[in-house]
């Protein structure tokens, strides 16, 4: 008996005609597609032309008579061949000391900013304080966030003089805006049922905070502070350009005096520092997220 399995039978009749017509329609649509390669080529030519034209403005650098491309190559050469005497100098004029000062500015600025942000965040949380108090607190936080870190750095350098303390104050104030925003989101996501159960058991306000609020917020607050520390570490480098301490000042001095090997050693140390801090902070945040 010649019996064909249903799954292996070849399509015949209307089914085969439908399949052929579908393939034919696909092929026809592909052949009739808009020919836009000329348009894309014209855009590419225009973009390349604009890049070449704009690059012509970098032929001279600050009236020094040095070609901009040559300066870029000098910077890359300084990174490839850093000044090891400066990189391994553990005195106050070496790269390790400047990196340590940058870490201290970023860390202490994060700690102070995170502490200041806690009461502000609670005041700005609408589920705890109401609309009026929350609105006023949010206005204060918004005003703090409006001013860029560079402007804060210039202000504090004028007030306290150049140095690490100006950088610390700048980092603290700049951290408040972003940290408060993250803290508010965590506070408004509190599970109020836990607080209601503690209240039903007759717990005092302190006990409700100790056993109902802090356990819910601790991991989120610490994770936010660590994330802000990563940002402050980079901002502290920029603040050194205005005299607010850190490694930014020796970096700009080395580049202005065309000591590319010294600038390269500073950049190498900064890159290594950021990679190490990023690795450690990522591991900590992952452990906090998993509740370990």
């Amino acid at each position: 008996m010649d019996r064909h399995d249903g799954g292996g039978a070849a399509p015949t009749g209307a089914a085969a005609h439908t399949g052929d017509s579908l393939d034919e329609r696909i092929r026809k649509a592909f052949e009739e597609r808009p020919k836009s390669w000329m348009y894309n080529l014209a855009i590419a030519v225009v973009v390349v032309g604009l890049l070449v034209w704009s690059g012509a403005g970098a032929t001279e650098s600050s009236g020094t008579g040095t070609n901009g491309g040559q300066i870029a190559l000098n910077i890359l050469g300084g990174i490839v061949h850093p000044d090891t005497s400066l990189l391994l100098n553990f005195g106050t004029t070496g790269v390790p000391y400047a990196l340590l000062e940058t870490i201290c500015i970023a860390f202490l600025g994060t700690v102070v900013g995170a502490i200041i942000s806690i009461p502000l965040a609670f005041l700005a949380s609408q589920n705890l304080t109401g609309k009026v108090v929350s609105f006023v607190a949010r206005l204060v936080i918004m005003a703090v966030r409006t001013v860029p870190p560079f402007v804060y750095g210039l202000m504090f350098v004028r007030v306290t003089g150049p140095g690490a303390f100006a950088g610390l104050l700048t980092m603290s104030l700049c951290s408040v805006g972003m940290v408060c925003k993250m803290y508010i989101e965590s506070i408004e996501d509190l599970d109020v049922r836990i607080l209601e159960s503690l209240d039903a058991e007759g717990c005092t306000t302190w006990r409700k905070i100790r056993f109902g609020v802090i356990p819910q917020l601790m991991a989120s607050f610490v994770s936010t502070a660590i994330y802000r520390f990563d940002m402050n570490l980079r901002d502290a480098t920029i603040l050194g350009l205005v005299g607010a301490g850190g490694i930014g000042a020796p970096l700009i001095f080395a580049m202005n005096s065309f000591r590319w090997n010294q600038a390269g050693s500073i950049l190498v140390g900064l890159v290594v520092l950021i990679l190490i801090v990023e690795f450690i902070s990522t591991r900590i945040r992952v452990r906090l997220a998993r509740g370990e």
Side-chain angles (χ1 to χ4, degrees):
M1 294 177 63
D2 295 334
R3 302 182 62 182
H4 298 282
D5 184 69
T12 58
H17 178 71
T18 302
D20 294 339
S21 61
L22 179 61
D23 294 339
E24 183 67 22
R25 287 199 301 270
I26 293 175
R27 184 184 63 81
K28 186 176 181 181
F30 179 77
E31 293 177 352
E32 295 177 355
R33 73 188 187 281
K35 304 297 190 297
S36 59
W37 67 272
M38 291 287 293
Y39 176 74
N40 296 333
L41 180 61
I43 291 179
V45 171
V46 171
V47 170
V48 172
L50 290 175
L51 290 175
V52 173
W53 175 71
S54 61
T59 54
E60 298 292 331
S61 173
S62 303
T64 60
T66 306
N67 185 272
Q70 184 61 41
I71 291 180
L73 292 177
N74 291 336
I75 295 174
L76 293 177
I79 297 175
V80 176
H81 304 91
D83 185 357
T84 55
S85 61
L86 184 64
L87 193 60
L88 301 177
N89 181 7
F90 294 95
T92 56
T93 59
V95 173
Y97 180 84
L99 291 176
L100 178 61
E101 187 178 47
T102 304
I103 293 176
C104 293
I105 292 173
F107 178 76
L108 293 177
T110 304
V111 172
V112 175
I115 293 174
I116 296 174
S117 299
I118 292 176
L120 282 176
F122 275 99
L123 290 174
S125 300
Q126 190 171 345
N127 60 334
L128 297 179
T129 59
K131 293 183 178 180
V132 178
V133 178
S134 173
F135 178 74
V136 174
R138 287 174 185 262
L139 281 181
V140 174
I141 296 171
M142 190 180 304
V144 173
R145 294 181 61 190
T146 303
V147 183
F150 202 76
V151 177
Y152 277 130
L154 291 173
M155 293 169 53
F156 284 119
V157 165
R158 292 289 182 266
V159 174
T160 65
F165 187 61
L168 169 62
L169 295 177
T170 304
M171 289 292 94
S172 302
L173 197 56
C174 292
S175 299
V176 169
M178 177 260 184
V179 173
C180 273
K181 186 175 183 299
M182 303 297 291
Y183 281 5
I184 292 170
E185 294 179 359
S186 301
I187 294 172
E188 291 183 343
D189 290 337
L190 278 173
D191 189 355
V192 296
R193 294 174 298 178
I194 297 177
L195 301 180
E196 292 174 354
S197 63
L198 293 174
D199 191 27
E201 293 182 0
C203 293
T204 62
T205 302
W206 166 248
R207 287 182 176 272
K208 286 190 290 185
I209 295 174
R210 170 65 180 84
F211 298 103
V213 176
I214 294 179
Q216 294 188 65
L217 299 179
M218 182 58 69
S220 177
F221 279 17
V222 174
S223 179
T224 300
I226 293 174
Y227 178 68
R228 183 63 204 185
F229 171 69
D230 290 345
M231 299 177 63
N232 284 345
L233 189 62
R234 295 164 177 80
D235 291 342
T237 303
I238 301 174
L239 290 177
L241 303 179
V242 298
I247 202 171
L251 176 61
I252 194 65
F253 291 155
M255 296 186 70
N256 287 338
S257 58
F258 304 102
R259 296 195 295 267
W260 305 118
N261 290 340
Q262 294 184 7
S265 64
I266 295 173
L267 291 175
V268 169
L270 186 61
V271 169
V272 173
L273 173 65
I274 291 178
L275 289 177
I276 294 175
V277 172
E278 182 71 21
F279 174 77
I280 297 174
S281 62
T282 301
R283 295 292 299 272
I284 295 176
R285 287 201 300 269
V286 169
R287 291 178 68 89
L288 288 173
R290 294 175 179 175
E292 299 178 359

